[in-house]
Amino acid sequence: MEIKEEMIALASKLKIYQDTYYKEGKSLVSDSEYDRLTDRLIALEKEFPEFAAPDSPTKRVGSDLTNDFPEVQHSIPVLSLDKAYSDESVLDFFSRSIEKKGGELSFAAEEKIDGISMVLYYEDGILVRAVTRGNGSVGNDVTPNIVTIPSIPLSLPESIDIAVRGEVYLPKKEFEKVNATLPDDQKAANPRNLAAGTVRRQKSQEAARIPLDMYCYEGFWGDEEETPKDHLHIMKKLSDLGFRINPDFAFFARTKEEAEAKLKEAGLEGDGYGFNDIKDYISRMTQKRPTLDHEIDGLVFKINELDVRQEFGYTEHHPRWAIAYKFESPQAETVLNSITIQVGRTGRITPVAEIAPTALGGSTIKRATLHNQEYIDSLELAIGDRVSITKRGDVIPAVEEVVEKNEMGNTTYRIPLTCPCCGAELVHKGVHLFCPNYDCPDQAKGRISFFSSRDQMDIESLGPKTVELLWNNKLLKRVEDIYTLDYSKATEMKIQGIGDKTVDALKKGVEESKNRPYTTVLSSLGIPEVGTKTAKILSDGGFDSFEKLRLAAEKGDVEPFLAIKGMGEETAKTLIEAFRDPNLLKTIDALTSLGLHVSEEMDKKEEEDKAQIFTGEVWCVTGSFENFNPRSKALKEIEIRGGRTVSSVTGKTTHLLAGKGGGSKRAEAEKLGVRIINEEEFMLLLGIQIGEKKEEEPKQGFLF
Ligand code: IVH
């Protein structure tokens, strides 16, 4: 057999196998035979590209070539939809349209799939391009990834030119399955984000492994003659051409009977409704929404008659012949002015939306996190776009969607591939980009601020602002430098923002922090996955010193870590990597020689060393304190000195430590003759010098 014939025969065989498997769920051959034939055809296509069919079934498998998604011009307007948030507005759209037309109209109603908008371009019946919406006139060519979706026809039974619009999405169940296999820092927030990431995977082989699907909802024929007369017939035709259309289709006419008759005439499945049924339909779909196998964020109502669509035309942003009913109303709308890039303490890159300040839920929002490139892609977000924002969980502002594309021609934003702080080339780890340079100033400052923050080493007066000042004046470069700070130089330099008071408070804060327990030091180092809880689990599980952690990491075996209840594989791997990193080891060595608690043994020794001055005493604590905040800190000071603490004043209570407020307990103590101690006296008892009042710095955190 000639090569060309063999290739044609292989292609048609594979196509039949694929179609039968996908459409009927039946395998006509064994997996190994199928793979053998595919490999053979791939090899032949590589050797004889001139004989490769443009709709070859090998495209479904994807390849390991790197995609670069060139920008291409759309030949149809790819606009978004005007929005409605109530059934009245939908009814209003119906009646306005009918009035404008001055005659009868009918409307199609479809689910608004929450996925990635896609246009499939066919020439002479062959799929030539799959393009994202982009800014509506220019999108990205993502063909190699899209052709891996089995339900998308690579060729049509008719040799026509047609552009088909639809939504690429990941079914909810598949999302759960795929997401469960991803490590924590790569998990997607929702099916749409995972679908967006897949559509832009660099290797189509990887995209092929994610079971994306597509529903098609509009067709634009190259030849006007061939264009069906209305939406019903467009949908029927698309279905006949082999496109997948959503069976949840509804049709509205003056009466239910009329609607049903039209559906029947077009040969289309679906539910007929009269105009009066809009409210019912919307509430029915709202109820159905959670039971669907895919995410929808609204319903789309479209005028059925194509000549009317043409007559009504388009605004700058949307067709005048359609409207989207949205399930949730936006909280606020604003403009995306720019995107800034933050470098976190672990080197993680976070794009941040800088939006025109807008009031939302009692505060003014100027910024919102955009998480990563995948998130930006899923929104197809460009500078200058009008966006809607909400407060997730009532706290964190989030950009929900693009309401109107910008008119400057800006396309989807791409995060630059170099670190904005140090210029290093960024690296991909899962869905995030990282700056690999340990000495990157933003990372180093972030590490120090994290180390000293309230929930970690809690170093008074060493917040992000002071860290920044000390860093800029070269007095602080690494975490361990905190303990060898040259205070006299700091005073000498007369740094604005670091006065004598700050220096005093710093000295005291740094000194006190030397006594923090081992697990606090461990969690303060900022090792990914190792927070307060994990540090405690590790310590209780036998890794009660840095030395033990280092030795275990040296061996590179995850087993001793996994033997501890509550330890996962990811954390174990991260720990091994961290405790082999010369940078971390250098810091640990320095902290060890500086006398910080690098083992639990040191914690115990310190407790024993504390004079047991409160033995036999029973203390109750009330009110609020300047130096013991939260109050549990005061309780701890009493307990480690042998005292017992109780929550109410009784005849057995020997002392009441009374801070500000706390009226009723004080009265009770007075009545019972219990000794009342104020904060100042208590500090004297503990032998702690009374310092200046704390100057609070804002809690460290990247946006809020
Ligand atoms: S029709 C010219 N129908 O929603 C009219 N859009 O916010 C084109 N969408 O960009 C849109 N399901 O990506 C239409 N059944 C549906 C849809 C749908 C989802 C998306 C589409 C569009 C966006 C508008």
Side-chain angles (χ1 to χ4, degrees):
M1 208 181 343
E2 290 285 318
I3 294 288
K4 191 172 170 188
E5 268 90 67
E6 187 191 348
M7 286 171 74
I8 293 171
L10 274 170
S12 80
K13 231 185 200 175
L14 283 167
K15 187 166 183 320
I16 293 168
Y17 294 159
Q18 280 178 355
D19 285 352
T20 324
Y21 181 77
Y22 180 68
K23 293 190 179 126
E24 292 162 38
K26 275 197 295 214
S27 298
L28 297 179
V29 279
S30 67
D31 287 0
S32 60
E33 174 66 358
Y34 179 83
D35 290 347
R36 192 183 64 79
L37 297 175
T38 309
D39 291 347
R40 169 85 183 140
L41 186 54
I42 290 174
L44 287 173
E45 285 177 349
K46 214 172 194 171
E47 200 174 342
F48 305 99
E50 67 275 25
F51 298 148
D55 61 342
S56 166
T58 57
K59 295 203 167 145
R60 301 282 195 217
V61 190
S63 88
D64 60 357
L65 298 176
T66 304
N67 287 322
D68 59 353
F69 314 126
E71 282 182 356
V72 290
Q73 191 80 34
H74 282 291
S75 54
I76 56 161
V78 192
L79 303 178
S80 70
L81 294 164
D82 203 4
K83 314 260 185 305
Y85 298 98
S86 65
D87 44 67
E88 287 89 5
S89 324
V90 176
L91 188 58
D92 186 52
F93 165 71
F94 277 22
S95 45
R96 262 187 296 122
S97 305
I98 293 170
E99 200 176 313
K100 189 161 152 191
K101 165 70 188 136
E104 278 312 305
L105 286 179
S106 50
F107 299 84
E110 296 165 357
E111 291 171 348
K112 188 171 183 297
I113 313 285
D114 194 10
I116 311 301
S117 198
M118 194 63 57
V119 190
L120 308 174
Y121 289 97
Y122 291 80
E123 285 170 17
D124 293 332
I126 300 288
L127 176 62
V128 290
R129 259 185 321 283
V131 186
T132 65
R133 182 170 80 189
N135 68 0
S137 68
V138 176
N140 287 105
D141 183 338
V142 290
T143 316
N145 288 340
I146 294 304
V147 293
T148 66
I149 301 175
S151 68
I152 296 179
L154 301 179
S155 57
L156 305 176
E158 293 174 25
S159 162
I160 46 169
D161 289 354
I162 188 174
V164 174
R165 274 197 74 172
E167 208 78 357
V168 169
Y169 69 94
L170 186 61
K172 286 193 235 172
K173 273 214 186 81
E174 303 292 352
F175 165 73
E176 302 296 346
K177 266 196 244 164
V178 176
N179 223 27
T181 65
L182 297 174
D184 273 357
D185 66 335
Q186 288 176 35
K187 286 203 197 309
N190 52 48
R192 184 182 65 174
N193 286 6
L194 190 48
T198 309
V199 162
R200 289 177 194 263
R201 271 289 135 76
Q202 297 228 301
K203 294 193 165 75
S204 52
Q205 240 169 24
E206 289 170 15
R209 279 186 222 123
I210 311 288
L212 295 178
D213 216 333
M214 181 173 183
Y215 272 135
C216 297
Y217 45 70
E218 289 291 334
F220 302 83
W221 273 256
D223 185 346
E224 220 167 284
E225 301 265 288
E226 294 186 27
T227 308
K229 65 178 167 94
D230 59 21
H231 192 67
L232 285 179
H233 290 85
I234 289 181
M235 295 302 273
K236 174 71 170 92
K237 186 75 200 178
L238 288 180
S239 170
D240 290 347
L241 287 170
F243 293 99
R244 195 163 162 265
I245 65 169
N246 190 343
D248 258 329
F249 185 84
F251 194 66
F252 283 81
R254 231 172 3 157
T255 63
K256 183 177 164 68
E257 292 68 33
E258 202 181 307
E260 281 171 347
K262 284 198 162 171
L263 277 165
K264 198 164 168 214
E265 184 271 321
L268 211 61
E269 302 272 318
D271 298 325
Y273 292 96
F275 292 147
N276 290 336
D277 303 325
I278 291 182
K279 204 177 166 151
D280 276 357
Y281 168 70
I282 291 180
S283 76
R284 192 174 299 180
M285 291 308 289
T286 309
Q287 274 172 16
K288 193 169 181 184
R289 184 181 179 201
T291 69
L292 295 171
D293 85 330
H294 49 269
E295 298 276 7
I296 65 173
D297 59 344
L299 303 165
V300 186
F301 295 87
K302 308 168 174 181
I303 293 180
N304 181 41
E305 293 76 13
L306 245 52
D307 54 344
V308 181
R309 287 190 182 186
Q310 221 150 34
E311 184 187 324
F312 283 16
Y314 297 85
T315 72
E316 201 91 43
H317 313 287
H318 49 77
R320 289 200 185 88
W321 45 262
I323 198 161
Y325 167 85
K326 299 272 294 180
F327 290 123
E328 276 113 27
S329 46
Q331 302 298 311
E333 283 187 15
T334 183
V335 173
L336 176 69
N337 285 334
S338 62
I339 291 175
T340 49
I341 304 293
Q342 290 189 343
V343 188
R345 61 185 162 83
T346 60
R348 177 142 133 202
I349 298 292
T350 308
V352 179
E354 307 284 345
I355 55 183
T358 182
L360 181 60
S363 57
T364 303
I365 312 289
K366 298 187 189 114
R367 324 178 78 196
T369 176
L370 293 172
H371 307 286
N372 50 43
Q373 185 67 52
E374 208 161 87
Y375 190 84
I376 296 175
D377 288 344
S378 77
L379 299 167
E380 293 211 56
L381 185 62
I383 310 276
D385 286 354
R386 202 170 166 73
V387 293
S388 69
I389 56 171
T390 57
K391 266 192 185 177
R392 292 258 175 94
D394 265 349
V395 212
I396 301 169
V399 175
E400 290 297 337
E401 67 171 352
V402 173
V403 188
E404 248 175 61
K405 291 305 293 180
N406 69 91
E407 286 166 23
M408 287 102 83
N410 291 340
T411 48
T412 305
Y413 177 83
R414 307 269 338 142
I415 300 173
L417 292 174
T418 51
C419 175
C421 176
C422 71
E425 200 167 310
L426 302 180
V427 293
H428 285 273
K429 270 194 225 160
V431 287
H432 298 290
L433 280 165
F434 285 82
C435 166
N437 173 15
Y438 187 85
D439 295 319
C440 170
D442 277 358
Q443 276 189 57
K445 283 184 264 185
R447 270 196 302 271
I448 299 170
S449 298
F450 176 74
F451 184 86
S452 73
S453 63
R454 172 82 72 90
D455 294 334
Q456 300 300 325
M457 296 296 275
D458 192 14
I459 303 181
E460 206 181 315
S461 287
L462 190 58
K465 270 198 225 146
T466 312
V467 170
E468 176 89 27
L469 289 170
L470 293 169
W471 170 278
N472 290 346
N473 288 283
K474 301 198 167 49
L475 291 166
L476 199 52
K477 259 195 113 168
R478 300 173 57 94
V479 163
E480 54 267 37
D481 298 344
I482 295 173
Y483 297 98
T484 52
L485 260 176
D486 190 341
Y487 296 106
S488 56
K489 204 161 165 199
T491 315
E492 241 169 62
M493 287 169 87
K494 294 204 185 322
I495 304 164
Q496 208 182 356
I498 305 194
D500 290 349
K501 268 191 189 168
T502 309
V503 170
D504 282 349
L506 251 178
K507 268 189 203 165
K508 182 169 157 253
V510 168
E511 208 44 43
E512 273 175 16
S513 80
K514 284 189 180 167
N515 295 328
R516 303 274 182 264
Y518 158 69
T519 51
T520 305
V521 183
L522 174 56
S523 71
S524 301
L525 292 173
I527 300 165
E529 323 252 350
V530 184
T532 326
K533 213 170 120 199
T534 306
K536 181 96 177 57
I537 292 177
L538 277 168
S539 182
D540 292 348
F543 289 99
D544 53 6
S545 73
F546 282 129
E547 191 51 19
K548 287 189 187 161
L549 283 165
R550 194 182 61 76
L551 286 171
E554 217 169 61
K555 295 202 182 99
D557 184 5
V558 288
E559 284 311 319
F561 292 109
L562 295 182
I564 304 173
K565 204 171 153 248
M567 281 288 287
E569 177 115 26
E570 276 308 310
T571 314
K573 282 190 195 150
T574 315
L575 272 165
I576 292 180
E577 200 184 318
F579 278 88
R580 283 176 160 191
D581 178 351
N583 280 306
L584 183 78
L585 294 179
K586 190 172 156 191
T587 297
I588 290 175
D589 282 349
L591 296 180
T592 308
S593 48
L594 286 159
L596 274 88
H597 290 205
V598 291
S599 66
E600 216 169 51
E601 211 182 358
M602 292 177 76
D603 300 346
K604 289 204 187 103
K605 194 166 174 305
E606 171 165 328
E607 277 181 30
E608 280 161 16
D609 285 353
K610 286 259 181 311
Q612 300 292 291
I613 52 173
F614 297 146
T615 308
E617 296 177 358
V618 182
W619 286 69
C620 179
V621 181
T622 185
S624 64
F625 301 90
E626 248 161 47
N627 295 288
F628 306 96
N629 191 7
R631 204 160 63 197
S632 56
K633 285 190 179 172
L635 296 174
K636 198 175 158 228
E637 295 292 348
I638 297 166
E639 283 161 11
I640 60 174
R641 286 170 178 78
R644 200 154 69 80
T645 56
V646 290
S647 56
S648 54
V649 179
T650 65
K652 290 194 180 134
T653 313
T654 58
H655 294 75
L656 176 72
L657 171 59
K660 277 199 204 106
S664 69
K665 282 191 182 140
R666 180 184 283 273
E668 190 63 25
E670 271 164 9
K671 203 171 94 192
L672 296 172
V674 172
R675 214 177 134 192
I676 300 174
I677 307 280
N678 68 21
E679 183 168 5
E680 207 170 312
E681 291 162 340
F682 185 60
M683 300 272 282
L684 281 172
L685 284 173
L686 300 186
I688 300 175
Q689 258 181 18
I690 301 164
E692 294 295 331
K693 193 174 166 326
K694 266 192 198 180
E695 235 172 273
E696 283 285 327
E697 288 218 39
K699 197 168 151 64
Q700 110 130 12
F702 96 109
L703 282 174
F704 322 102

